[in-house]
Amino acid sequence: MSLGYGGGCRKVAEDENFVLYEYFSYNLSFEDREKIFDGLIMIKKSSLIEPERREKFRRMPSGRRKKFTKIILQEVPFEELIDSGEVQIENCSHAWKFFPNGVDFIAKYLCVEIFRYYQREGTLPNKWGLFV
């Protein structure tokens, strides 16, 4: 039984074409639990996926109709982005579990969460973490 694992990332650099994050991963079942930011995630901004927006009218209790915008998050085609070079990942030193293409699974989940945050908020997060 695993005690838990997770990771985090923080934005290092950003320009009009790319955003660069450094990340760490950890597994509480192992002795070495240091949070060393030595992995890299580079995302090309042109690969960021915009959400689908739908406008709806709802009747309010006062009888008036009000316009609402519903945001529908789009699926992130992570493997395609890696293969095309839109997202580049350099694994951290504490990576212990990998996908068949050699990518640290914590880096993949961090990347997917960055894309989801962008779809919800419209901006890229300065830092993000997860614990599973």
Side-chain angles (χ1 to χ4, degrees):
M1 180 180 195
S2 175
L3 295 175
Y5 49 87
C9 64
R10 60 184 175 202
K11 192 186 309 183
V12 177
E14 181 178 9
D15 64 7
E16 59 276 349
N17 297 326
F18 293 96
V19 63
L20 180 67
Y21 287 92
E22 58 184 4
Y23 86 97
F24 70 92
S25 65
Y26 62 87
N27 186 342
L28 294 177
S29 298
F30 296 147
E31 297 265 335
D32 196 3
R33 300 177 183 167
E34 292 184 58
K35 296 178 180 174
I36 302 171
F37 287 89
D38 61 349
L40 295 174
I41 301 172
M42 187 169 64
I43 302 171
K44 194 181 256 188
K45 285 190 173 179
S46 63
S47 69
L48 293 172
I49 300 167
E50 296 293 330
E52 182 181 339
R53 299 180 191 275
R54 293 188 184 164
E55 294 182 350
K56 297 175 98 177
F57 288 95
R58 289 190 184 158
R59 188 169 303 278
M60 302 305 290
S62 64
R64 299 167 118 198
R65 292 171 48 121
K66 188 172 181 181
K67 186 177 181 181
F68 287 93
T69 303
K70 183 178 180 181
I71 296 174
I72 300 170
L73 300 180
Q74 301 297 313
E75 191 65 33
V76 179
F78 181 73
E79 287 76 17
E80 294 172 15
L81 294 173
I82 288 286
D83 293 340
S84 66
E86 299 285 320
V87 174
Q88 298 174 7
I89 295 177
E90 183 180 312
N91 293 331
C92 71
S93 61
H94 289 83
W96 72 98
K97 187 174 180 182
F98 302 93
F99 285 102
N101 59 359
V103 174
D104 179 15
F105 84 108
I106 291 293
K108 178 200 178 218
Y109 290 127
L110 285 170
C111 193
V112 168
E113 288 300 320
I114 290 169
F115 273 72
R116 286 184 183 156
Y117 182 91
Y118 176 76
Q119 288 183 22
R120 282 191 311 268
E121 304 296 328
T123 61
L124 290 166
N126 289 327
K127 60 183 176 177
W128 192 262
L130 62 97
F131 178 78
V132 182

